[in-house]
Amino acid sequence: MNTTEPLSGMPFTFEGKAAMMERALGSAGISILCQDARLSIFYAENLPPHFAALFAPGSSDAVLFGDAHGRYLTALKQKVLETGIPNNAEVEVDVDGERRTYELKIQRTGGRGEHGLLSVMAEVTESRHREKVLKSLLRELSHRSKNLLAIIQGIATQTARNTLSLDSFLLKFRGRLQSLSNSQDLITDSSWRGAYLFELAEKQFAPYWPETAGSMPIYGINAHLTPNAAVHLGLALHELIVNSASFGAISGGAASITLNCREAMINDRKAIEVAWAEVLHDQAEVHEFSDNSFGRTVLERVVPSSVNGKAELNLVPGRIEYRLTIPETEFEIFKRV
């Protein structure tokens, strides 16, 4: 089709064009207000019902939008009349008990004679709501990102303090970052609502659990953890699992580990207790995390402090026991088995 040639057929009449314009305005949800130099509204088209009920020729902005908005719009429109520079305004109006937002695009009309104003008005309630939600999400993302970077910085610093070579540092640091990444994947998949304990534990076990050892030893309550609790419990589990894979039960292919979650109390508040129990190959061995090791710091100080809970690491002959108590502010129980 040649779009450079005029279309065949009878041209639209003026009345036909006006009718089409009215339908277009209605479909787009756009209203038109025309005012004279005294800011009296002498013409309006396609007003929403709330405004249509208030409008009469000669109405003012105060009649349509209320006194406060009327004063604001009057000052702004007088400036547009004086300068000829277009301007925009937003007003919020209560309509049937609901707050609605309208945007007005205002420009001067008329030639050398008396000027007037044309205001094109559209409701922007939903778009403004989406903008507020998006800003809120971006603020939350920024906050979480800063927290995550602080955790990574802490991991790097503490890992460096407790390693003697670059190769050893890189090995441990990469493992801890991968643990953090695994936890973060679950949190992101849930739209930042958190992670279930069983899925979190399975993610941490997966790289180290022997295929011959059977199913992963996770029991009890599958509590849903907040993002904060999920990240820090993931770090604690990583330290326990890597230690076991290096020196303990997993290193020998034995499945003598249990991870159990049960209901508990902390400071007269509901809580859960996540308990790790590991049986060592040598029943007489007392395994020792070095006192200044990053793993022990994570288990006994960093994690319980970060979740406002408490922790206990017991290294007894032939066993490693770790109990972390997490208060109810950091989890929910959706289903009890």
Side-chain angles (χ1 to χ4, degrees), residues 45-78:
E45 184 65 56
N46 195 43
L47 288 177
H50 171 77
F51 295 109
L54 299 173
F55 172 73
S59 297
S60 66
D61 287 314
V63 171
L64 291 186
F65 302 105
D67 290 338
H69 289 316
R71 290 190 294 271
Y72 161 66
L73 289 172
T74 295
L76 188 148
K77 289 181 176 182
Q78 284 175 341

PDB file of all heavy atoms in Angstrom, residues 45-78:
ATOM      1  N   GLU A  45     -14.100  18.476  28.615  1.00  0.00           N
ATOM      2  CA  GLU A  45     -14.453  17.309  27.801  1.00  0.00           C
ATOM      3  C   GLU A  45     -13.948  16.038  28.474  1.00  0.00           C
ATOM      4  O   GLU A  45     -12.813  15.988  28.965  1.00  0.00           O
ATOM      5  CB  GLU A  45     -13.820  17.438  26.411  1.00  0.00           C
ATOM      6  CG  GLU A  45     -14.210  16.327  25.440  1.00  0.00           C
ATOM      7  CD  GLU A  45     -15.690  16.366  25.104  1.00  0.00           C
ATOM      8  OE1 GLU A  45     -16.177  17.419  24.636  1.00  0.00           O
ATOM      9  OE2 GLU A  45     -16.361  15.329  25.341  1.00  0.00           O
ATOM     10  N   ASN A  46     -14.820  15.034  28.521  1.00  0.00           N
ATOM     11  CA  ASN A  46     -14.463  13.696  29.003  1.00  0.00           C
ATOM     12  C   ASN A  46     -13.997  13.688  30.462  1.00  0.00           C
ATOM     13  O   ASN A  46     -13.060  12.982  30.829  1.00  0.00           O
ATOM     14  CB  ASN A  46     -13.373  13.072  28.108  1.00  0.00           C
ATOM     15  CG  ASN A  46     -13.242  11.567  28.337  1.00  0.00           C
ATOM     16  OD1 ASN A  46     -14.232  10.867  28.443  1.00  0.00           O
ATOM     17  ND2 ASN A  46     -12.006  11.098  28.432  1.00  0.00           N
ATOM     18  N   LEU A  47     -14.640  14.473  31.304  1.00  0.00           N
ATOM     19  CA  LEU A  47     -14.279  14.486  32.724  1.00  0.00           C
ATOM     20  C   LEU A  47     -14.699  13.177  33.388  1.00  0.00           C
ATOM     21  O   LEU A  47     -15.770  12.639  33.086  1.00  0.00           O
ATOM     22  CB  LEU A  47     -14.961  15.645  33.438  1.00  0.00           C
ATOM     23  CG  LEU A  47     -14.449  17.059  33.150  1.00  0.00           C
ATOM     24  CD1 LEU A  47     -15.311  18.076  33.890  1.00  0.00           C
ATOM     25  CD2 LEU A  47     -12.994  17.212  33.555  1.00  0.00           C
ATOM     26  N   PRO A  48     -13.898  12.638  34.309  1.00  0.00           N
ATOM     27  CA  PRO A  48     -14.332  11.483  35.096  1.00  0.00           C
ATOM     28  C   PRO A  48     -15.593  11.841  35.883  1.00  0.00           C
ATOM     29  O   PRO A  48     -15.834  13.018  36.179  1.00  0.00           O
ATOM     30  CB  PRO A  48     -13.144  11.235  36.039  1.00  0.00           C
ATOM     31  CG  PRO A  48     -11.977  11.849  35.354  1.00  0.00           C
ATOM     32  CD  PRO A  48     -12.518  13.038  34.632  1.00  0.00           C
ATOM     33  N   PRO A  49     -16.425  10.862  36.228  1.00  0.00           N
ATOM     34  CA  PRO A  49     -17.718  11.140  36.880  1.00  0.00           C
ATOM     35  C   PRO A  49     -17.609  12.057  38.088  1.00  0.00           C
ATOM     36  O   PRO A  49     -18.454  12.928  38.290  1.00  0.00           O
ATOM     37  CB  PRO A  49     -18.211   9.745  37.271  1.00  0.00           C
ATOM     38  CG  PRO A  49     -17.585   8.830  36.272  1.00  0.00           C
ATOM     39  CD  PRO A  49     -16.249   9.420  35.969  1.00  0.00           C
ATOM     40  N   HIS A  50     -16.552  11.855  38.915  1.00  0.00           N
ATOM     41  CA  HIS A  50     -16.406  12.669  40.117  1.00  0.00           C
ATOM     42  C   HIS A  50     -16.296  14.153  39.767  1.00  0.00           C
ATOM     43  O   HIS A  50     -16.932  15.004  40.395  1.00  0.00           O
ATOM     44  CB  HIS A  50     -15.164  12.226  40.891  1.00  0.00           C
ATOM     45  CG  HIS A  50     -14.798  13.137  42.022  1.00  0.00           C
ATOM     46  ND1 HIS A  50     -15.469  13.133  43.225  1.00  0.00           N
ATOM     47  CD2 HIS A  50     -13.838  14.108  42.125  1.00  0.00           C
ATOM     48  CE1 HIS A  50     -14.936  14.038  44.019  1.00  0.00           C
ATOM     49  NE2 HIS A  50     -13.947  14.639  43.385  1.00  0.00           N
ATOM     50  N   PHE A  51     -15.509  14.478  38.757  1.00  0.00           N
ATOM     51  CA  PHE A  51     -15.328  15.872  38.353  1.00  0.00           C
ATOM     52  C   PHE A  51     -16.519  16.382  37.540  1.00  0.00           C
ATOM     53  O   PHE A  51     -16.903  17.545  37.655  1.00  0.00           O
ATOM     54  CB  PHE A  51     -14.039  16.027  37.547  1.00  0.00           C
ATOM     55  CG  PHE A  51     -12.796  15.751  38.333  1.00  0.00           C
ATOM     56  CD1 PHE A  51     -12.044  14.620  38.093  1.00  0.00           C
ATOM     57  CD2 PHE A  51     -12.379  16.631  39.324  1.00  0.00           C
ATOM     58  CE1 PHE A  51     -10.893  14.365  38.829  1.00  0.00           C
ATOM     59  CE2 PHE A  51     -11.222  16.381  40.059  1.00  0.00           C
ATOM     60  CZ  PHE A  51     -10.489  15.247  39.819  1.00  0.00           C
ATOM     61  N   ALA A  52     -17.113  15.495  36.733  1.00  0.00           N
ATOM     62  CA  ALA A  52     -18.258  15.911  35.921  1.00  0.00           C
ATOM     63  C   ALA A  52     -19.407  16.371  36.798  1.00  0.00           C
ATOM     64  O   ALA A  52     -20.146  17.308  36.446  1.00  0.00           O
ATOM     65  CB  ALA A  52     -18.692  14.755  35.014  1.00  0.00           C
ATOM     66  N   ALA A  53     -19.574  15.708  37.964  1.00  0.00           N
ATOM     67  CA  ALA A  53     -20.656  16.094  38.868  1.00  0.00           C
ATOM     68  C   ALA A  53     -20.426  17.472  39.478  1.00  0.00           C
ATOM     69  O   ALA A  53     -21.378  18.144  39.899  1.00  0.00           O
ATOM     70  CB  ALA A  53     -20.793  15.045  39.971  1.00  0.00           C
ATOM     71  N   LEU A  54     -19.188  17.922  39.544  1.00  0.00           N
ATOM     72  CA  LEU A  54     -18.861  19.220  40.153  1.00  0.00           C
ATOM     73  C   LEU A  54     -18.808  20.347  39.131  1.00  0.00           C
ATOM     74  O   LEU A  54     -18.942  21.523  39.494  1.00  0.00           O
ATOM     75  CB  LEU A  54     -17.499  19.129  40.864  1.00  0.00           C
ATOM     76  CG  LEU A  54     -17.376  18.126  42.018  1.00  0.00           C
ATOM     77  CD1 LEU A  54     -15.927  18.034  42.483  1.00  0.00           C
ATOM     78  CD2 LEU A  54     -18.278  18.533  43.185  1.00  0.00           C
ATOM     79  N   PHE A  55     -18.626  19.988  37.875  1.00  0.00           N
ATOM     80  CA  PHE A  55     -18.359  21.009  36.870  1.00  0.00           C
ATOM     81  C   PHE A  55     -19.622  21.732  36.407  1.00  0.00           C
ATOM     82  O   PHE A  55     -20.671  21.137  36.221  1.00  0.00           O
ATOM     83  CB  PHE A  55     -17.673  20.386  35.657  1.00  0.00           C
ATOM     84  CG  PHE A  55     -17.533  21.341  34.495  1.00  0.00           C
ATOM     85  CD1 PHE A  55     -16.602  22.368  34.548  1.00  0.00           C
ATOM     86  CD2 PHE A  55     -18.358  21.229  33.388  1.00  0.00           C
ATOM     87  CE1 PHE A  55     -16.477  23.256  33.493  1.00  0.00           C
ATOM     88  CE2 PHE A  55     -18.238  22.117  32.323  1.00  0.00           C
ATOM     89  CZ  PHE A  55     -17.293  23.138  32.376  1.00  0.00           C
ATOM     90  N   ALA A  56     -19.452  23.034  36.213  1.00  0.00           N
ATOM     91  CA  ALA A  56     -20.427  23.878  35.520  1.00  0.00           C
ATOM     92  C   ALA A  56     -19.627  24.969  34.834  1.00  0.00           C
ATOM     93  O   ALA A  56     -18.565  25.376  35.336  1.00  0.00           O
ATOM     94  CB  ALA A  56     -21.435  24.471  36.499  1.00  0.00           C
ATOM     95  N   PRO A  57     -20.062  25.432  33.666  1.00  0.00           N
ATOM     96  CA  PRO A  57     -19.327  26.522  33.008  1.00  0.00           C
ATOM     97  C   PRO A  57     -19.092  27.692  33.961  1.00  0.00           C
ATOM     98  O   PRO A  57     -20.001  28.134  34.665  1.00  0.00           O
ATOM     99  CB  PRO A  57     -20.254  26.914  31.852  1.00  0.00           C
ATOM    100  CG  PRO A  57     -21.019  25.657  31.559  1.00  0.00           C
ATOM    101  CD  PRO A  57     -21.237  25.003  32.888  1.00  0.00           C
ATOM    102  N   GLY A  58     -17.855  28.162  34.013  1.00  0.00           N
ATOM    103  CA  GLY A  58     -17.486  29.229  34.930  1.00  0.00           C
ATOM    104  C   GLY A  58     -16.879  28.721  36.230  1.00  0.00           C
ATOM    105  O   GLY A  58     -16.499  29.514  37.101  1.00  0.00           O
ATOM    106  N   SER A  59     -16.769  27.358  36.371  1.00  0.00           N
ATOM    107  CA  SER A  59     -16.175  26.794  37.590  1.00  0.00           C
ATOM    108  C   SER A  59     -14.700  27.165  37.682  1.00  0.00           C
ATOM    109  O   SER A  59     -14.054  27.507  36.692  1.00  0.00           O
ATOM    110  CB  SER A  59     -16.313  25.264  37.586  1.00  0.00           C
ATOM    111  OG  SER A  59     -17.664  24.877  37.592  1.00  0.00           O
ATOM    112  N   SER A  60     -14.176  27.059  38.885  1.00  0.00           N
ATOM    113  CA  SER A  60     -12.760  27.313  39.123  1.00  0.00           C
ATOM    114  C   SER A  60     -12.061  26.007  39.486  1.00  0.00           C
ATOM    115  O   SER A  60     -12.705  24.981  39.725  1.00  0.00           O
ATOM    116  CB  SER A  60     -12.578  28.318  40.267  1.00  0.00           C
ATOM    117  OG  SER A  60     -13.036  27.749  41.491  1.00  0.00           O
ATOM    118  N   ASP A  61     -10.737  26.052  39.556  1.00  0.00           N
ATOM    119  CA  ASP A  61      -9.981  24.872  39.979  1.00  0.00           C
ATOM    120  C   ASP A  61     -10.355  24.465  41.401  1.00  0.00           C
ATOM    121  O   ASP A  61     -10.357  23.271  41.732  1.00  0.00           O
ATOM    122  CB  ASP A  61      -8.477  25.161  39.895  1.00  0.00           C
ATOM    123  CG  ASP A  61      -7.970  25.193  38.458  1.00  0.00           C
ATOM    124  OD1 ASP A  61      -8.324  24.281  37.697  1.00  0.00           O
ATOM    125  OD2 ASP A  61      -7.250  26.139  38.100  1.00  0.00           O
ATOM    126  N   ALA A  62     -10.666  25.442  42.244  1.00  0.00           N
ATOM    127  CA  ALA A  62     -11.032  25.130  43.621  1.00  0.00           C
ATOM    128  C   ALA A  62     -12.309  24.304  43.680  1.00  0.00           C
ATOM    129  O   ALA A  62     -12.462  23.431  44.545  1.00  0.00           O
ATOM    130  CB  ALA A  62     -11.192  26.414  44.429  1.00  0.00           C
ATOM    131  N   VAL A  63     -13.243  24.553  42.764  1.00  0.00           N
ATOM    132  CA  VAL A  63     -14.490  23.791  42.735  1.00  0.00           C
ATOM    133  C   VAL A  63     -14.213  22.324  42.393  1.00  0.00           C
ATOM    134  O   VAL A  63     -14.761  21.406  43.005  1.00  0.00           O
ATOM    135  CB  VAL A  63     -15.480  24.411  41.716  1.00  0.00           C
ATOM    136  CG1 VAL A  63     -16.691  23.491  41.530  1.00  0.00           C
ATOM    137  CG2 VAL A  63     -15.920  25.783  42.171  1.00  0.00           C
ATOM    138  N   LEU A  64     -13.351  22.092  41.411  1.00  0.00           N
ATOM    139  CA  LEU A  64     -13.066  20.728  40.979  1.00  0.00           C
ATOM    140  C   LEU A  64     -12.118  19.981  41.912  1.00  0.00           C
ATOM    141  O   LEU A  64     -12.305  18.796  42.189  1.00  0.00           O
ATOM    142  CB  LEU A  64     -12.473  20.740  39.566  1.00  0.00           C
ATOM    143  CG  LEU A  64     -13.382  21.142  38.407  1.00  0.00           C
ATOM    144  CD1 LEU A  64     -12.652  20.957  37.085  1.00  0.00           C
ATOM    145  CD2 LEU A  64     -14.677  20.356  38.403  1.00  0.00           C
ATOM    146  N   PHE A  65     -11.086  20.676  42.385  1.00  0.00           N
ATOM    147  CA  PHE A  65     -10.002  19.994  43.090  1.00  0.00           C
ATOM    148  C   PHE A  65      -9.907  20.315  44.578  1.00  0.00           C
ATOM    149  O   PHE A  65      -9.055  19.749  45.261  1.00  0.00           O
ATOM    150  CB  PHE A  65      -8.659  20.345  42.424  1.00  0.00           C
ATOM    151  CG  PHE A  65      -8.587  19.992  40.969  1.00  0.00           C
ATOM    152  CD1 PHE A  65      -8.664  20.964  39.994  1.00  0.00           C
ATOM    153  CD2 PHE A  65      -8.464  18.671  40.574  1.00  0.00           C
ATOM    154  CE1 PHE A  65      -8.598  20.634  38.645  1.00  0.00           C
ATOM    155  CE2 PHE A  65      -8.396  18.324  39.231  1.00  0.00           C
ATOM    156  CZ  PHE A  65      -8.470  19.314  38.259  1.00  0.00           C
ATOM    157  N   GLY A  66     -10.740  21.210  45.067  1.00  0.00           N
ATOM    158  CA  GLY A  66     -10.663  21.589  46.474  1.00  0.00           C
ATOM    159  C   GLY A  66      -9.843  22.851  46.667  1.00  0.00           C
ATOM    160  O   GLY A  66      -9.050  23.239  45.801  1.00  0.00           O
ATOM    161  N   ASP A  67     -10.016  23.479  47.823  1.00  0.00           N
ATOM    162  CA  ASP A  67      -9.392  24.790  48.058  1.00  0.00           C
ATOM    163  C   ASP A  67      -7.871  24.738  48.018  1.00  0.00           C
ATOM    164  O   ASP A  67      -7.228  25.596  47.395  1.00  0.00           O
ATOM    165  CB  ASP A  67      -9.858  25.344  49.415  1.00  0.00           C
ATOM    166  CG  ASP A  67     -11.322  25.738  49.396  1.00  0.00           C
ATOM    167  OD1 ASP A  67     -11.855  25.978  48.290  1.00  0.00           O
ATOM    168  OD2 ASP A  67     -11.942  25.787  50.478  1.00  0.00           O
ATOM    169  N   ALA A  68      -7.278  23.756  48.698  1.00  0.00           N
ATOM    170  CA  ALA A  68      -5.810  23.703  48.766  1.00  0.00           C
ATOM    171  C   ALA A  68      -5.215  23.507  47.380  1.00  0.00           C
ATOM    172  O   ALA A  68      -4.298  24.226  46.962  1.00  0.00           O
ATOM    173  CB  ALA A  68      -5.367  22.585  49.704  1.00  0.00           C
ATOM    174  N   HIS A  69      -5.730  22.518  46.636  1.00  0.00           N
ATOM    175  CA  HIS A  69      -5.242  22.298  45.278  1.00  0.00           C
ATOM    176  C   HIS A  69      -5.585  23.487  44.385  1.00  0.00           C
ATOM    177  O   HIS A  69      -4.823  23.823  43.463  1.00  0.00           O
ATOM    178  CB  HIS A  69      -5.842  21.025  44.696  1.00  0.00           C
ATOM    179  CG  HIS A  69      -5.310  19.771  45.316  1.00  0.00           C
ATOM    180  ND1 HIS A  69      -3.980  19.560  45.568  1.00  0.00           N
ATOM    181  CD2 HIS A  69      -5.949  18.637  45.748  1.00  0.00           C
ATOM    182  CE1 HIS A  69      -3.801  18.365  46.103  1.00  0.00           C
ATOM    183  NE2 HIS A  69      -4.981  17.792  46.231  1.00  0.00           N
ATOM    184  N   GLY A  70      -6.738  24.116  44.648  1.00  0.00           N
ATOM    185  CA  GLY A  70      -7.130  25.269  43.853  1.00  0.00           C
ATOM    186  C   GLY A  70      -6.123  26.400  43.953  1.00  0.00           C
ATOM    187  O   GLY A  70      -5.756  27.015  42.938  1.00  0.00           O
ATOM    188  N   ARG A  71      -5.672  26.692  45.163  1.00  0.00           N
ATOM    189  CA  ARG A  71      -4.673  27.756  45.350  1.00  0.00           C
ATOM    190  C   ARG A  71      -3.360  27.405  44.651  1.00  0.00           C
ATOM    191  O   ARG A  71      -2.734  28.251  44.005  1.00  0.00           O
ATOM    192  CB  ARG A  71      -4.435  28.003  46.846  1.00  0.00           C
ATOM    193  CG  ARG A  71      -5.614  28.658  47.551  1.00  0.00           C
ATOM    194  CD  ARG A  71      -5.229  29.099  48.950  1.00  0.00           C
ATOM    195  NE  ARG A  71      -4.931  27.972  49.814  1.00  0.00           N
ATOM    196  CZ  ARG A  71      -5.841  27.333  50.552  1.00  0.00           C
ATOM    197  NH1 ARG A  71      -7.122  27.707  50.489  1.00  0.00           N
ATOM    198  NH2 ARG A  71      -5.502  26.328  51.334  1.00  0.00           N
ATOM    199  N   TYR A  72      -2.969  26.147  44.776  1.00  0.00           N
ATOM    200  CA  TYR A  72      -1.724  25.695  44.139  1.00  0.00           C
ATOM    201  C   TYR A  72      -1.811  25.814  42.616  1.00  0.00           C
ATOM    202  O   TYR A  72      -0.908  26.348  41.957  1.00  0.00           O
ATOM    203  CB  TYR A  72      -1.447  24.250  44.569  1.00  0.00           C
ATOM    204  CG  TYR A  72      -0.490  23.495  43.690  1.00  0.00           C
ATOM    205  CD1 TYR A  72       0.850  23.864  43.598  1.00  0.00           C
ATOM    206  CD2 TYR A  72      -0.922  22.390  42.955  1.00  0.00           C
ATOM    207  CE1 TYR A  72       1.734  23.151  42.790  1.00  0.00           C
ATOM    208  CE2 TYR A  72      -0.046  21.681  42.152  1.00  0.00           C
ATOM    209  CZ  TYR A  72       1.270  22.064  42.075  1.00  0.00           C
ATOM    210  OH  TYR A  72       2.135  21.362  41.272  1.00  0.00           O
ATOM    211  N   LEU A  73      -2.915  25.330  42.052  1.00  0.00           N
ATOM    212  CA  LEU A  73      -3.075  25.365  40.598  1.00  0.00           C
ATOM    213  C   LEU A  73      -3.227  26.786  40.078  1.00  0.00           C
ATOM    214  O   LEU A  73      -2.721  27.126  39.003  1.00  0.00           O
ATOM    215  CB  LEU A  73      -4.291  24.523  40.188  1.00  0.00           C
ATOM    216  CG  LEU A  73      -4.126  23.006  40.345  1.00  0.00           C
ATOM    217  CD1 LEU A  73      -5.455  22.299  40.092  1.00  0.00           C
ATOM    218  CD2 LEU A  73      -3.059  22.473  39.401  1.00  0.00           C
ATOM    219  N   THR A  74      -3.898  27.633  40.834  1.00  0.00           N
ATOM    220  CA  THR A  74      -4.072  29.024  40.419  1.00  0.00           C
ATOM    221  C   THR A  74      -2.719  29.721  40.284  1.00  0.00           C
ATOM    222  O   THR A  74      -2.445  30.402  39.279  1.00  0.00           O
ATOM    223  CB  THR A  74      -4.956  29.784  41.422  1.00  0.00           C
ATOM    224  OG1 THR A  74      -6.272  29.216  41.403  1.00  0.00           O
ATOM    225  CG2 THR A  74      -5.055  31.265  41.062  1.00  0.00           C
ATOM    226  N   ALA A  75      -1.861  29.561  41.282  1.00  0.00           N
ATOM    227  CA  ALA A  75      -0.536  30.193  41.241  1.00  0.00           C
ATOM    228  C   ALA A  75       0.284  29.651  40.065  1.00  0.00           C
ATOM    229  O   ALA A  75       0.943  30.416  39.346  1.00  0.00           O
ATOM    230  CB  ALA A  75       0.197  29.942  42.554  1.00  0.00           C
ATOM    231  N   LEU A  76       0.224  28.338  39.857  1.00  0.00           N
ATOM    232  CA  LEU A  76       0.997  27.736  38.780  1.00  0.00           C
ATOM    233  C   LEU A  76       0.483  28.188  37.413  1.00  0.00           C
ATOM    234  O   LEU A  76       1.252  28.531  36.508  1.00  0.00           O
ATOM    235  CB  LEU A  76       0.938  26.223  38.919  1.00  0.00           C
ATOM    236  CG  LEU A  76       1.827  25.383  37.997  1.00  0.00           C
ATOM    237  CD1 LEU A  76       2.270  24.110  38.713  1.00  0.00           C
ATOM    238  CD2 LEU A  76       1.092  25.010  36.725  1.00  0.00           C
ATOM    239  N   LYS A  77      -0.836  28.220  37.261  1.00  0.00           N
ATOM    240  CA  LYS A  77      -1.423  28.572  35.965  1.00  0.00           C
ATOM    241  C   LYS A  77      -1.230  30.054  35.641  1.00  0.00           C
ATOM    242  O   LYS A  77      -1.046  30.426  34.476  1.00  0.00           O
ATOM    243  CB  LYS A  77      -2.901  28.193  35.950  1.00  0.00           C
ATOM    244  CG  LYS A  77      -3.126  26.686  35.904  1.00  0.00           C
ATOM    245  CD  LYS A  77      -4.605  26.330  35.854  1.00  0.00           C
ATOM    246  CE  LYS A  77      -4.800  24.828  35.707  1.00  0.00           C
ATOM    247  NZ  LYS A  77      -6.216  24.435  35.605  1.00  0.00           N
ATOM    248  N   GLN A  78      -1.271  30.897  36.646  1.00  0.00           N
ATOM    249  CA  GLN A  78      -1.008  32.318  36.395  1.00  0.00           C
ATOM    250  C   GLN A  78       0.402  32.522  35.861  1.00  0.00           C
ATOM    251  O   GLN A  78       0.633  33.362  34.982  1.00  0.00           O
ATOM    252  CB  GLN A  78      -1.218  33.114  37.690  1.00  0.00           C
ATOM    253  CG  GLN A  78      -2.688  33.324  38.038  1.00  0.00           C
ATOM    254  CD  GLN A  78      -2.887  34.010  39.365  1.00  0.00           C
ATOM    255  OE1 GLN A  78      -1.998  34.039  40.218  1.00  0.00           O
ATOM    256  NE2 GLN A  78      -4.083  34.569  39.564  1.00  0.00           N
TER     257      GLN A  78
END
